[in-house]
Amino acid sequence: MVPDKCEVALILLDVINDLEFEGGEELLSQAEPIYPRIAELKRRAREAGVPVVYVNDNFGQWRSDFRSLIDHCTREKVRGRPLAEQVLPKGDDYFVLKPKHSGFFSTTLDVLLAYLGVRTVIITGVAGNICVLFTANDAYMRDFHVLVPEDCVASGDAEENGHALRQMATVLKADIRPSTEIDFATLVSEARRSGPPEIPQAPEGARPS
């Protein structure tokens, strides 16, 4: 069982995905190599006591839930089934459904990460140039330390994926080291020493009297 408190969280973004959309075939081709790496990173995270959070699009199915999504992607003959089966959640993993690109927009991710005491997020999944980029951006604006391992992110186009990773590294100060170089014990120790984020103060004239 993972602890209810940890300074680091591993986020799996849109990895439970049927890929039944325009461009899905190209994304499948690009994503096939990253799924075994994500699965291995998840295994190591669980061994280190780091919580795993699945953040998944609801694909416009507002009456759906995460279990229904898993059933759809593992029991039906959908394009993304062979990938989804490699990273199925365990009973003590967390999950958040999102309606749009960012994992933070109109979701409970903020509340969950605060509950867990997270300071560092490791973001993996698809697509690197869309949902991963938007989620990393929102994590950065919330003062999280952001890691986006370059070998655990894919987009429909390899060049665009590389560009997105460079943007995240340059603009969002994301650490894009390969997943094999991630040491969870070190990350937890560093995040623990960093303490809680500083809360920006409103300008003097904007504060209530």
Side-chain angles (χ1 to χ4, degrees):
M1 297 290 288
V2 297
D4 281 335
K5 297 294 180 182
C6 187
E7 289 78 8
V8 178
L10 173 62
I11 294 177
L12 275 60
L13 195 66
D14 286 338
V15 296
I16 307 298
N17 198 319
D18 63 12
L19 298 179
E20 293 291 338
F21 49 78
E22 184 177 354
E25 190 170 352
E26 290 80 4
L27 184 53
L28 171 66
S29 174
Q30 295 293 323
E32 281 178 328
I34 76 167
Y35 269 70
R37 298 167 191 154
I38 293 175
E40 172 61 15
L41 188 63
K42 178 188 173 183
R43 183 193 66 78
R44 293 200 294 116
R46 289 174 58 83
E47 285 185 353
V50 169
V52 177
V53 184
Y54 286 75
V55 180
N56 230 96
D57 205 293
N58 67 3
F59 301 106
Q61 303 299 313
W62 292 94
R63 292 189 179 92
S64 183
D65 57 31
F66 192 57
R67 292 298 168 189
S68 299
L69 181 61
I70 292 173
D71 288 344
H72 167 65
C73 290
T74 57
R75 296 183 182 180
E76 299 178 25
K77 294 182 179 179
V78 296
R79 185 181 286 139
R81 179 175 176 175
L83 301 185
E85 288 176 337
Q86 298 180 55
V87 291
L88 293 177
K90 303 290 186 180
D92 53 359
D93 291 332
Y94 299 91
F95 63 88
V96 172
L97 281 179
K98 64 183 179 70
K100 290 291 184 180
H101 308 91
S102 171
F104 288 92
F105 180 77
S106 294
T107 76
T108 58
L109 185 58
D110 263 329
V111 178
L112 173 59
L113 295 179
Y115 165 74
L116 294 170
V118 171
R119 294 294 309 117
T120 296
V121 290
I122 305 169
I123 305 173
T124 67
V126 295
N129 61 338
I130 307 174
C131 296
V132 173
L133 176 60
F134 283 42
T135 301
N137 179 75
D138 282 359
Y140 174 71
M141 289 196 298
R142 287 163 171 78
D143 290 325
F144 287 102
H145 178 214
V146 181
L147 280 79
V148 185
E150 60 182 0
D151 59 336
C152 290
V153 173
S155 306
D157 180 272
E159 185 175 342
E160 290 185 8
N161 194 66
H163 176 70
L165 282 166
R166 289 190 296 273
Q167 284 290 101
M168 287 184 271
T170 302
V171 180
L172 308 181
K173 300 178 176 59
D175 184 336
I176 62 171
R177 76 181 84 169
S179 60
T180 52
E181 297 181 11
I182 290 176
D183 183 282
F184 285 103
T186 300
L187 284 182
V188 170
S189 178
E190 291 174 348
R192 190 166 293 160
R193 287 198 303 270
S194 72
E198 294 184 6
I199 300 175
Q201 296 295 316
E204 192 68 35
R207 295 177 189 172
S209 56

